[in-house]
Amino acid sequence: MTELSRRALLSGICGIAALSMVPISAEASTLVKKLPKGRLSFKVSDAAKIVDVGSSVAIGQVKGQPVGIFRSGPSTFSAFSLLCPHQQVTVDKSESGWVCSAHDSKFSENGGLEFGPATTALRKVPVKVKGGVVTIG
């Protein structure tokens, strides 16, 4: 039997974690548009098909980084990086928010820190709502 190095094990876990990140549905992904400069957008009128109020979802990549979006109201959103601030491992969706599979840091639906070893919340990503369009990035 071949011995598995710690680096190989962690690389495999990170790969599985990236695949297990809960993305938006196929229908919802057609509603999210890719914009120049690595940004994303969708219409506020389509928001219910993308994410429920009080919930979050992995929406895609902004400037090459995985991003989640939280909907706090009918037309109120915040976005955050899905890279754990502890060691930059992609976090996974859980029943109550987000969790890092590498060291079990836990984050709320809106990306706030609940449990370490991470010492900060998930990094905020700019969101603008204007003219019925949500722009992320």
Side-chain angles (χ1 to χ4, degrees):
M1 182 183 251
T2 305
E3 207 172 298
L4 185 63
S5 72
R6 180 178 176 178
R7 180 175 295 217
L9 176 64
L10 288 175
S11 294
I13 289 171
C14 291
I16 291 168
L19 292 174
S20 66
M21 184 175 61
V22 178
I24 57 177
S25 69
E27 175 192 1
S29 68
T30 64
L31 303 173
V32 178
K33 307 296 181 214
K34 293 182 182 178
L35 301 176
K37 299 181 182 177
R39 298 174 300 151
L40 300 172
S41 74
F42 61 89
K43 295 177 184 174
V44 172
S45 60
D46 291 331
K49 297 175 186 170
I50 297 170
V51 61
D52 295 326
V53 173
S55 297
S56 58
V57 68
I59 195 160
Q61 301 261 331
V62 171
K63 298 179 182 175
Q65 301 290 316
V67 170
I69 190 160
F70 174 70
R71 185 175 179 204
S72 56
S75 59
T76 311
F77 305 87
S78 59
F80 45 89
S81 169
L82 293 178
L83 296 178
C84 180
H86 179 238
Q87 290 190 345
Q88 303 301 300
V89 174
T90 301
V91 296
D92 299 311
K93 189 74 173 100
S94 70
E95 287 184 25
S96 61
W98 300 89
V99 64
C100 179
S101 61
H103 298 103
D104 207 30
S105 289
K106 292 181 177 44
F107 305 90
S108 63
E109 286 284 349
N110 67 3
L113 178 64
E114 293 185 342
F115 181 78
T119 58
T120 61
L122 296 173
R123 183 182 54 81
K124 295 291 182 192
V125 173
V127 175
K128 188 185 304 182
V129 180
K130 185 176 180 182
V133 175
V134 179
T135 304
I136 306 160

